[in-house]
Amino acid sequence: MSQQQQQQHSQQHSQQQSQQQAAGRQLMGQAQETMDILFELSVLLNTGLDRDALSLCVSLCESGVNPEALAAVIKELKRESRSLAAAASSSPLDPVAVAGPIIQ
């Protein structure tokens, strides 16, 4: 291969890399825009999911997890969390405050 052909090949390779990088940036921008829209919908629907949780849900669905099953698990986890929080607030945290000091 002549030096001119090598230079042309090198230039073509550089152009291809630049195009691939630009396409990658465009895809990342589109993915971010999609997540922003999904988060806005999540807030409007009062799901209680933050961006990280929403991103994990999207990743799970993209990996093949059934969205309805995932929603059911999230609802059950929220229900359990509320139940635990209610139990913690109704049970005494300081036994001395409830029973009083032990006098010997």
Side-chain angles (χ1 to χ4, degrees):
M1 186 181 290
S2 71
Q3 186 176 1
Q4 184 180 11
Q5 288 174 327
Q6 287 176 345
Q7 287 176 341
Q8 286 176 342
H9 180 71
S10 177
Q11 287 174 345
Q12 288 174 346
H13 184 69
S14 293
Q15 287 174 345
Q16 287 175 343
Q17 282 183 326
S18 294
Q19 290 171 348
Q20 288 173 347
Q21 289 172 348
R25 284 191 298 272
Q26 184 179 9
L27 284 175
M28 291 296 290
Q30 290 172 347
Q32 182 61 47
E33 183 180 347
T34 299
M35 283 305 301
D36 290 344
I37 292 168
L38 284 173
F39 182 69
E40 287 179 36
L41 283 171
S42 175
V43 170
L44 289 172
L45 294 171
N46 198 25
T47 65
L49 298 174
D50 61 18
R51 286 183 184 270
D52 290 334
L54 186 61
S55 179
L56 288 171
C57 290
V58 169
S59 293
L60 287 168
C61 290
E62 288 175 342
S63 296
V65 172
N66 181 319
E68 290 178 12
L70 181 58
V73 169
I74 291 170
K75 286 179 183 179
E76 181 61 28
L77 289 172
K78 284 185 176 189
R79 194 174 305 121
E80 285 293 320
S81 178
R82 284 191 301 267
S83 176
L84 289 172
S89 67
S90 67
S91 67
L93 299 177
D94 183 5
V96 174
V98 173
I102 300 174
I103 302 175
Q104 294 180 334

